[in-house]
Amino acid sequence: MNIRLDRFPGGVFKALTLSYDDGKEYDRRMIEIMNQHGIKGTFHLNSGKLGKDNYIEGKEIASLFAGHEVSAHTVDHPFLELTPKERVALEILEDRRSLEALVNYPIRGMSYPFGTYDKSVKAMLPMLGIEYARTVNSHGAFTLPEDFLEWHPTCHHKDMFNYSEPFLSLEQKFPKMALFYVWGHSYEFENNENWEDLEKFCKRMGKQKDIWYATNLEIVDYVNGVKALRFSVSQTMVYNPTATTVWIGANGETVKVPAGKQVNLATVEG
């Protein structure tokens, strides 16, 4: 039995996610463009800034980001590696608490303020309920992270067109799951007067049948679900102990493994 853990939901092998920070009012226009083309993303918010200056209002968050993910970015956006550990804990926990009260689901991820952190900050995150943390260290590849607490993106959106066509042209023979991960700030489109770039990107990348459009957390849950699969020694049986349905390759065929179910692979023919 030839088993490959190389498929996203529905059996596709490509995924796209966007990741945007701070929660300024320009997120409204960004969400409108993304929704028009079926693009999904995660928005990392500073709860201490909501409703101030040109930041969005807390009362609009649940409806504005419906279908996307709201994630933490700390209360006040400090340099965490320069902050006492007690305040680091409060910055993250209180950000989670405030945002959870607005969206009514657990906040389980974040992006590092200013993109900076150190080993001690990273080590604290699991104890604070954080399962992933995005950096700003673009690697220019379509790979999944080795460590979700140091999740490096493919690129900043200023470079997104450099990777669009190479990503779209990837074929199923690509040897692993391919993730195109774009990050930035919505206010950059306003400052640079280039909203047409986002519109062009979303129109080109959206509504593709061979791409899974996901939030950061959906990717985390899916990858962890794949890693949690339990196979028999013969690899003719697989059990999924998680709450996430996943897809795998078996003898070249796509097989769905429902959450909490066991699937017999012995009858799968290549």
Side-chain angles (χ1 to χ4, degrees), residues 15-18 30-41 67-68 199 201-209 211-215 218:
L16 172 67
T17 191
L18 273 58
M30 182 169 198
I31 286 288
E32 182 179 357
I33 295 170
M34 291 171 64
N35 287 346
Q36 182 180 354
H37 299 285
I39 305 292
K40 295 181 71 172
H68 301 273
E199 294 171 350
F201 176 81
C202 289
K203 183 177 181 180
R204 181 70 181 100
M205 300 300 297
K207 300 180 180 180
Q208 301 284 334
K209 294 181 178 180
I211 296 177
W212 177 40
Y213 302 97
T215 67
E218 286 173 336

Side-chain angles (χ1 to χ4, degrees), residues 22-24 28 46-61:
D22 295 353
K24 291 196 173 183
R28 300 184 188 117
N46 302 116
S47 57
K49 298 180 182 294
L50 297 177
K52 299 178 181 179
D53 301 323
N54 59 348
Y55 287 83
I56 57 177
E57 298 282 345
K59 62 184 180 182
E60 68 180 303
I61 286 177

